[in-house]
Amino acid sequence: MEEKNSSKISFLLKDITDLNAEFAITGIGGSEAMYKRVLDMVIGMLPTNIAEMDKFLKEEDNLGDFTIRVHGVKSSLRQVGCYRLGDLADALEKAGKANDRQYCDMNYGAFREEVLRFYEQVNSVLRNMGNKAGSCETPSGDINDYIDVLTRVKEAAMGYDSILAMKRLSPVLKFHFSVDIDELLKKAATEFEAYRPRKGLVHITELLNKYQKLSQLQGKDGLK
Amino acid sequence: MSIDSKKILVVDDDSANLTLIDGILSSLYKVYPIDSGEDALEFLEIQRPDLILLDVEMPGMSGTELFRIIKSNPDLSHIPIIFLTGLSDVESEADAFRLGVSDYIRKPINDVIMLARVKMHLEFSAHRKS
């Protein structure tokens, strides 16, 4: 199903002149689905990366952090096949490393504009492809079932296994519980998706405490 | 393909890269993606990976700093470490080998190169142990 939905991505992106999606897809084994997943993440992170580059460049004596962020953007752009903008980032990175603030100040604005244009173009294609919207079903089953699921998520997170934690958490995400619980679930999922298992663990532990209290209020057994 | 019991720790601040590497390796190995050097050190307190793929340029603790810490720990120093880097100059590559890395993989990541290097170093490490 996933393969079918994303199978046209190289075709849909073909008019974006700065993007050689086909070449990038070949470099990761020809999987359009994997490419789309990576592209979604790269595009999703660009606004944050731009905001950070803006902030770091404005700060006095912080060319180092600016350079590290530019380096990350360069790698991401090249990974998805955006080589020309990757080269512009490379020039900024080299200038940053050489402590050439003048070059960075003079050229960052034009680079930023091009990256934003690229972001808009790709984001528009991704939006039109219809990224799945999460449904909001009402939870069913015993509260102890959720405690059991979250306990297994917690075990995975304690073993630093973000992927397993996310896999175990996913079935619960489609349900709507309450605003605070939904928020915690979302936060935990965000951390696991960003491969930060310890931060995800904090939210899962808080969720488990809430469920335990709920379970006790309902007069049922909580966690051992 | 069956999953090998070998564990690979991947440290990179870019979650898109972690997703990609997991996508390339997870059908063969157990992959642990971690987004910072600090969290990787905590991971190493409870797990012993067979190989580490380590991004060089990261905010906070850099790959080079993490490499030095791992190699100065007798319990961890045997683990082969491959640097991942978007740096394309020869001098950076030479610096990495002078530092003592097992190998060096350039970004953009290519699946064939990554699979071949990982397999080679795991086999090399297994031979050394035996």
Side-chain angles (χ1 to χ4, degrees):
Chain A
M1 187 71 174
E2 187 196 5
E3 196 69 45
K4 195 177 176 185
N5 285 339
S6 58
S7 62
K8 293 179 191 162
I9 195 161
S10 53
F11 177 77
L12 292 169
L13 294 167
K14 70 177 174 25
D15 292 331
I16 300 176
T17 48
D18 274 320
L19 189 63
N20 190 342
E22 258 183 63
F23 190 77
I25 290 167
T26 306
I28 56 168
S31 168
E32 293 227 359
M34 174 55 74
Y35 175 78
K36 183 179 178 296
R37 224 176 134 200
V38 172
L39 185 65
D40 269 333
M41 297 181 87
V42 168
I43 291 300
M45 288 186 299
L46 267 183
T48 307
N49 284 330
I50 290 171
E52 285 186 359
M53 288 188 292
D54 290 354
K55 177 177 168 277
F56 293 143
L57 190 60
K58 271 184 202 156
E59 289 172 359
E60 291 281 325
D61 302 325
N62 206 357
L63 215 47
D65 283 339
F66 171 77
T67 306
I68 288 174
R69 189 49 65 216
V70 169
H71 169 83
V73 170
K74 175 192 78 174
S75 296
S76 300
L77 289 170
R78 286 179 170 169
Q79 189 67 57
V80 297
C82 184
Y83 303 105
R84 191 181 69 82
L85 296 188
D87 289 347
L88 293 181
D90 186 50
L92 279 169
E93 182 190 349
K94 284 188 173 119
K97 281 190 172 160
N99 214 21
D100 187 349
R101 176 167 272 280
Q102 197 183 0
Y103 181 93
C104 294
D105 284 338
M106 280 179 66
N107 293 282
Y108 173 65
F111 169 72
R112 184 184 189 280
E113 265 183 44
E114 294 221 47
V115 171
L116 273 175
R117 195 176 310 123
F118 172 73
Y119 167 80
E120 292 296 341
Q121 288 174 324
V122 178
N123 203 30
S124 155
V125 172
L126 293 174
R127 274 203 311 265
N128 287 336
M129 286 186 80
N131 287 330
K132 74 273 175 191
S135 60
C136 265
E137 295 173 32
T138 308
S140 59
D142 195 292
I143 195 166
N144 286 323
D145 293 342
Y146 299 109
I147 291 176
D148 185 48
V149 170
L150 292 176
T151 303
R152 290 190 299 118
V153 173
K154 185 177 177 177
E155 283 165 8
M158 286 175 76
Y160 287 83
D161 196 335
S162 295
I163 295 164
L164 184 61
M166 193 58 207
K167 199 174 162 185
R168 289 176 174 174
L169 185 63
S170 291
V172 181
L173 293 175
K174 65 180 178 180
F175 296 119
H176 168 70
F177 296 89
S178 64
V179 175
D180 58 336
I181 285 180
D182 288 352
E183 189 64 25
L184 280 172
L185 282 168
K186 200 174 153 193
K187 280 181 182 172
T190 303
E191 298 297 354
F192 292 138
E193 280 177 336
Y195 305 104
R196 293 189 287 257
R198 303 312 274 184
K199 288 181 182 162
L201 180 62
V202 173
H203 301 307
I204 292 298
T205 305
E206 198 179 335
L207 272 167
L208 271 168
N209 289 338
K210 280 180 185 287
Y211 273 117
Q212 274 181 292
K213 279 178 192 159
L214 272 173
S215 176
Q216 282 160 5
L217 282 173
Q218 288 182 3
K220 296 181 178 178
D221 291 335
L223 281 174
K224 286 170 201 161
Chain B
M1 276 184 283
S2 63
I3 295 184
D4 195 296
S5 57
K6 297 276 191 289
K7 293 179 194 168
I8 300 178
L9 168 65
V10 190
V11 192
D12 193 321
D13 63 302
D14 185 337
S15 52
N17 277 335
L18 291 172
T19 297
L20 176 61
I21 294 167
D22 177 62
I24 292 170
L25 299 175
S26 62
S27 62
L28 295 168
Y29 309 106
K30 176 68 192 159
V31 181
Y32 292 90
I34 303 266
D35 87 326
S36 72
E38 290 83 355
D39 282 0
L41 280 178
E42 284 187 23
F43 170 88
L44 289 166
E45 285 173 16
I46 59 162
Q47 299 262 15
R48 285 288 175 274
D50 297 284
L51 184 136
I52 300 171
L53 292 168
L54 180 55
D55 183 30
V56 183
E57 305 263 317
M58 293 189 288
M61 186 186 289
S62 72
T64 308
E65 282 175 78
L66 179 59
F67 175 90
R68 289 200 172 105
I69 293 171
I70 293 170
K71 290 298 172 185
S72 65
N73 182 336
D75 293 334
L76 304 173
S77 59
H78 65 283
I79 302 171
I81 298 178
I82 300 177
F83 269 5
L84 302 170
T85 180
L87 302 171
S88 51
D89 58 300
V90 175
E91 196 48 41
S92 298
E93 192 168 346
D95 283 345
F97 284 115
R98 273 186 214 114
L99 195 63
V101 297
S102 298
D103 212 335
Y104 190 92
I105 296 178
R106 286 184 187 173
K107 297 177 187 174
I109 292 157
N110 175 285
D111 65 323
V112 177
I113 293 172
M114 172 147 292
L115 282 166
R117 296 259 171 90
V118 165
K119 182 171 180 273
M120 178 178 79
H121 286 286
L122 286 173
E123 284 176 358
F124 186 57
S125 177
H127 278 299
R128 238 186 352 204
K129 277 183 200 161
S130 63

